[in-house]
Amino acid sequence: MKVAKFGGSSVANAQQFQKVANIVTADDARKFVVVSAPGKRCKDDTKMTDLLITLAKKVIEHDIYEGVLAQVVARYDEIVTDLHLSRDILDVISASLQQMIDTYRDQPERLLDALKASGEDNNAKLMAHYLRQLGYEAHYVNPKDAGIFVTDEPGNAQILPESYEQLAKLKERSGILVIPGFFGYSRSGHIVTFPRGGSDITGSIVAAGVGAELYENFTDVDSIYCVNPSIVEHPCQLRELTYREMRELSYAGFSVFHDEALEPVYRRGIPVCVKNTNNPEAPGTMIVATRDHRERPVAGIASDTGFCSINVSKYLMNREIGFGRRLLQILEDEGISYEHTPSGIDNMSVILREEQLAGDVERRVLERIVKELRVDEVSIERDLALIMVVGEGMERSVGIAAKATAAFARANVNIEMINQGSSEVSMMFGVKADAVEKAVRALYEVYF
């Protein structure tokens, strides 16, 4: 029994729907299908979720929204027309969107979540309808009926433990079950979405709930690459990764798999296979509990930009009990999350997403640090990029860090900061954003 999740590019148009149907019906074990909202049909296209966010903003701002609503319906109309489906379903989609707008127009967070979720929800209805038209027993299953109950945190839902017991009951149902990704329901009955990219999370939750033998995550690449192919041409394909390695790489910038999606399958030891909808015969990349690290201790290199560092100095900081806690409390009070906290005896840095200091937040944070912590110096270093070298085999391999620093030196890239956790699954390097691609290429040369 398998759970197959299809990303936005896999369900972007009628041609992709046909590919998905062929994949699902080629293996009787693919009983559970999770779909995203329609993605881009071409490079310059707009994703359905982005259209729906624009629609929600128009309504919230009391702007004319009918044009955007028509664009949303037109995307589904194109799929319905090209697949020769009954047009009655378009009336259902249009009416449900208008009902959401009428119901939640004065509740911005609820409206945004409901409209975002509709992208996946309506696509799941279309997919089930198409599979039935092809002669297969297929059923659309609403997340509430499936038992996907979540915390009431709009845009940031977390699965509730009781959901897994409810999901297990899906095994008793017949036919192919098509479930929309990205959202669940709060205990009070509201639609609540996972973080962006949350269809991966839904697929993982369903796989864990039904005890699947395999969770297949279909996307638009043959496998996971060891480095971003937009930085390095024709990089190595990875045949196998561990859960921990994939989690680190996803967090650090690998967009092929949502970084929160592994937890449910990891807990239950369910392997994941990342495969290509456009080339389903390719073996893909397996994500498993353990792998043989001897030949390749480093699994991958990930990078991301948009970071800054708040640098704090105070003489005898190491003697001041609670200094770090009070510094982080200031950030918590402002709703700011941090990524890393490298430190020395008299200095401490907090690395965070630069966008979190927008508006008046930066001034308030700096003023509180100076006033409450009585520091000698505080400054912000901007335009940083973080590079992660990831691999569970690094712990037992001598010279991994030496190779990295030598690569940076040969590429003439200055290292702004270094951080490594005690687990030795990853090493983090901070460099200036304009040097990140040069640095990543240098690391690829020494490791791969």
Side-chain angles (χ1 to χ4, degrees):
M1 188 170 54
K2 300 176 182 177
V3 172
K5 179 264 174 180
F6 294 89
S9 61
S10 300
V11 288
N13 55 31
Q15 183 182 14
Q16 294 300 99
F17 262 62
Q18 291 167 343
K19 293 177 183 177
V20 169
N22 289 336
I23 290 169
V24 171
T25 58
D27 187 345
D28 291 339
R30 292 184 179 121
K31 178 179 171 63
F32 304 97
V33 177
V34 176
V35 297
S36 296
K40 291 185 177 184
R41 295 162 292 187
C42 59
K43 184 179 179 182
D44 298 324
D45 199 11
T46 302
K47 294 180 179 180
M48 174 63 81
T49 303
D50 291 328
L51 271 179
L52 291 164
I53 291 171
T54 300
L55 173 61
K57 288 180 178 177
K58 291 278 187 184
V59 176
I60 292 167
E61 294 167 2
H62 305 289
D63 199 353
I64 296 171
Y65 66 83
E66 285 77 7
V68 182
L69 177 59
Q71 285 182 272
V72 171
V73 176
R75 285 293 303 273
Y76 292 118
D77 191 348
E78 179 186 281
I79 295 171
V80 166
T81 300
D82 292 347
L83 292 178
H84 308 292
L85 301 178
S86 168
R87 299 190 64 78
D88 292 345
I89 197 167
L90 285 174
D91 295 331
V92 174
I93 289 173
S94 184
S96 67
L97 288 168
Q98 188 61 57
Q99 183 181 23
M100 288 176 186
I101 291 170
D102 295 339
T103 302
Y104 294 117
R105 66 170 68 242
D106 296 322
Q107 301 176 63
E109 285 189 329
R110 297 292 185 201
L111 177 66
L112 182 59
D113 261 17
L115 286 177
K116 283 193 300 183
S118 72
E120 278 75 9
D121 198 44
N122 290 322
N123 231 22
K125 293 173 184 175
L126 287 183
M127 182 60 71
H129 193 56
Y130 178 52
L131 289 168
R132 287 195 297 272
Q133 179 174 283
L134 293 176
Y136 297 92
E137 182 187 358
H139 307 278
Y140 157 79
V141 183
N142 182 274
K144 181 186 284 186
D145 296 331
I148 301 176
F149 295 103
V150 298
T151 57
D152 197 358
E153 302 171 80
N156 193 38
Q158 304 291 317
I159 192 70
L160 294 175
E162 59 262 33
S163 298
Y164 293 108
E165 185 177 341
Q166 296 300 314
L167 283 163
K169 297 176 183 178
L170 292 177
K171 293 184 290 184
E172 301 168 7
R173 299 185 57 169
S174 62
I176 301 167
L177 306 185
V178 185
I179 305 167
F182 191 33
F183 72 99
Y185 282 80
S186 67
R187 287 193 178 100
S188 56
H190 290 292
I191 292 171
V192 192
T193 62
F194 295 114
R196 190 74 186 263
S199 290
D200 286 347
I201 299 175
T202 300
S204 184
I205 288 168
V206 172
V210 301
E213 65 187 71
L214 180 67
Y215 171 33
E216 296 177 308
N217 194 289
F218 284 87
T219 179
D220 55 5
V221 292
D222 281 350
S223 66
I224 297 172
Y225 298 104
C226 65
V227 70
N228 188 337
S230 68
I231 297 177
V232 176
E233 288 188 19
H234 309 299
C236 297
Q237 296 183 12
L238 299 174
R239 291 289 170 239
E240 204 171 48
L241 280 170
T242 68
Y243 297 119
R244 294 174 71 191
E245 289 169 340
M246 188 69 248
R247 160 78 170 116
E248 293 273 354
L249 290 167
S250 296
Y251 154 79
F254 271 35
S255 60
V256 71
F257 204 89
H258 194 283
D259 65 321
E260 292 183 25
L262 286 172
E263 197 269 343
V265 288
Y266 161 73
R267 296 289 180 195
R268 287 159 177 79
I270 298 169
V272 179
C273 187
V274 177
K275 293 176 72 69
N276 190 351
T277 304
N278 304 311
N279 184 21
E281 302 307 316
T285 300
M286 290 295 298
I287 305 173
V288 292
T290 60
R291 69 176 180 91
D292 188 342
H293 306 102
R294 288 172 294 183
E295 288 188 10
R296 186 165 288 171
V298 173
I301 305 161
S303 62
D304 204 3
T305 57
F307 296 94
C308 69
S309 176
I310 299 177
N311 302 318
V312 178
S313 295
K314 185 176 184 180
Y315 192 65
L316 295 180
M317 178 192 295
N318 66 311
R319 299 286 300 277
E320 193 169 328
I321 296 173
F323 183 90
R325 175 186 56 77
R326 287 183 286 131
L327 173 58
L328 296 178
Q329 183 65 55
I330 292 171
L331 299 181
E332 182 181 341
D333 291 345
E334 292 290 342
I336 295 173
S337 62
Y338 69 93
E339 310 294 325
H340 299 277
T341 55
S343 63
I345 58 170
D346 291 330
N347 55 74
M348 182 174 179
S349 297
V350 182
I351 302 168
L352 47 88
R353 292 277 180 182
E354 194 166 355
E355 62 189 19
Q356 295 185 97
L357 294 180
D360 203 37
V361 176
E362 179 181 326
R363 180 190 59 79
R364 292 199 303 270
V365 167
L366 295 183
E367 285 181 355
R368 286 191 61 185
I369 290 173
V370 170
K371 181 180 178 180
E372 298 174 25
L373 302 181
R374 301 178 184 274
V375 299
D376 299 326
E377 293 180 35
V378 59
S379 63
I380 295 181
E381 186 174 5
R382 303 183 185 279
D383 300 319
L384 291 177
L386 296 187
I387 301 172
M388 300 283 281
V389 177
V390 176
E392 287 201 52
M394 296 195 304
E395 182 182 7
R396 293 172 294 278
S397 300
V398 176
I400 296 292
K403 285 184 178 180
T405 54
F408 283 125
R410 283 195 296 273
N412 197 29
V413 173
N414 186 49
I415 300 172
E416 304 292 329
M417 63 193 72
I418 302 175
N419 197 23
Q420 182 174 28
S422 58
S423 65
E424 294 189 51
V425 176
S426 64
M427 292 185 295
M428 184 277 289
F429 299 94
V431 302
K432 286 296 186 182
D434 58 6
V436 65
E437 292 193 4
K438 184 165 58 170
V440 169
R441 291 190 193 103
L443 290 171
Y444 179 81
E445 288 300 319
V446 297
Y447 292 128
F448 296 97

